[in-house]
Amino acid sequence: AEVWNSTFEGVDTTSGDASIYQAGATTSNLTVRESRIRGNAWAGIYSYGTDSLATLTVDRTIIEADASYAIRAVADGPESAGAVAVTMRHCAVYSPSDTIGVYLLGDSVSPVEAEIEDCTFCGSYTGLYCDLIKTGLTVSGITSGVTCTRCNFFGHTNGIYVYNVANNTVEQSISECFFTENSYGIRDDRTQTARLVATHCTFEGNTTDGAYDASGGSASTNLLAEDC
């Protein structure tokens, strides 16, 4: 499916409801381009790869979310492994302080692959929230991984947040991003063998920590910041 030059006004805050909903037990592809999504639907875009591959591309789109998620992308495999691949480029995500900009969740057999470039995130509880994303998984050509390049995060509790849960072990790669006026610019709460790498990033005016790592102890778990 393709959505071009469209405006969606979500009004239903019921859990699971979205302005744009992509789901099913067969492979699906959704492109949202040059559009505007706003209102208080539970999610602006909900991409759900259950027992299948869901590919979501969002390009040059503005999302103003007043409810739980601007974008929620979930892969799971109650019967066989699912997968979800998210590509975002040149987007702006504005949402209030109790919401999440982009939420990524897989499971122990279902990978999440996300590539986010040249986007701006403003005002939500968390700009980019990485839940369970297990390293080393490949399904339908999708391999677990998160890259975020040349993005701006400002006015959040957490610019980027990595949740501490079993199997959330993928290495996030953050490069050339700008973090300002957040409580935490980057917050990696994981205590297992996993790390986040930030390269050529700028941290300015974040009130608690520019970058926080809960693990520590070894090169395989420490957050690595290079040329920041």
Side-chain angles (χ1 to χ4, degrees):
E2 294 191 4
V3 177
W4 286 68
N5 301 312
S6 299
T7 298
F8 291 82
E9 183 83 36
V11 295
D12 192 344
T13 60
T14 304
S15 178
D17 286 338
S19 296
I20 301 176
Y21 186 32
Q22 174 196 17
T26 58
T27 298
S28 62
N29 299 286
L30 172 63
T31 298
V32 181
R33 183 166 285 128
E34 298 176 5
S35 295
R36 188 183 190 104
I37 301 168
R38 60 191 182 190
N40 60 353
W42 181 73
I45 301 173
Y46 186 9
S47 179
Y48 189 22
T50 172
D51 300 323
S52 64
L53 168 62
T55 300
L56 171 65
T57 300
V58 187
D59 182 40
R60 299 190 299 277
T61 290
I62 297 172
I63 304 175
E64 299 170 286
D66 293 330
S68 297
Y69 307 93
I71 295 177
R72 178 180 169 93
V74 176
D76 70 8
E79 296 179 9
S80 61
V84 64
V86 178
T87 301
M88 287 183 67
R89 295 189 176 97
H90 307 288
C91 294
V93 178
Y94 304 99
S95 45
S97 59
D98 58 346
T99 64
I100 293 173
V102 175
Y103 177 81
L104 306 173
L105 172 65
D107 63 20
S108 61
V109 296
S110 303
V112 174
E113 182 179 276
E115 181 180 335
I116 303 171
E117 297 179 349
D118 302 299
C119 295
T120 294
F121 297 83
C122 177
S124 61
Y125 167 67
T126 297
L128 172 61
Y129 192 119
C130 302
D131 206 325
L132 194 168
I133 308 174
K134 185 177 180 180
T135 192
L137 297 179
T138 299
V139 173
S140 301
I142 300 303
T143 300
S144 291
V146 177
T147 62
C148 185
T149 307
R150 296 182 304 276
C151 292
N152 301 308
F153 296 85
F154 63 95
H156 305 284
T157 301
N158 309 290
I160 296 176
Y161 180 67
V162 189
Y163 183 52
N164 183 35
V165 63
N167 290 317
N168 192 13
T169 52
V170 79
E171 180 176 293
Q172 283 86 7
S173 176
I174 314 300
S175 61
E176 301 178 66
C177 292
F178 181 57
F179 301 86
T180 188
E181 299 180 17
N182 307 289
S183 180
Y184 294 89
I186 294 173
R187 180 173 177 175
D188 189 345
D189 268 357
R190 295 175 297 181
T191 57
Q192 60 266 48
T193 301
R195 70 173 183 174
L196 182 148
V197 177
T199 308
H200 300 292
C201 292
T202 300
F203 302 86
E204 180 179 308
N206 300 287
T207 58
T208 302
D209 291 304
Y212 171 83
D213 178 17
S215 58
S218 71
S220 62
T221 60
N222 287 343
L223 183 150
L224 174 63
E226 297 181 305
D227 302 310
C228 293

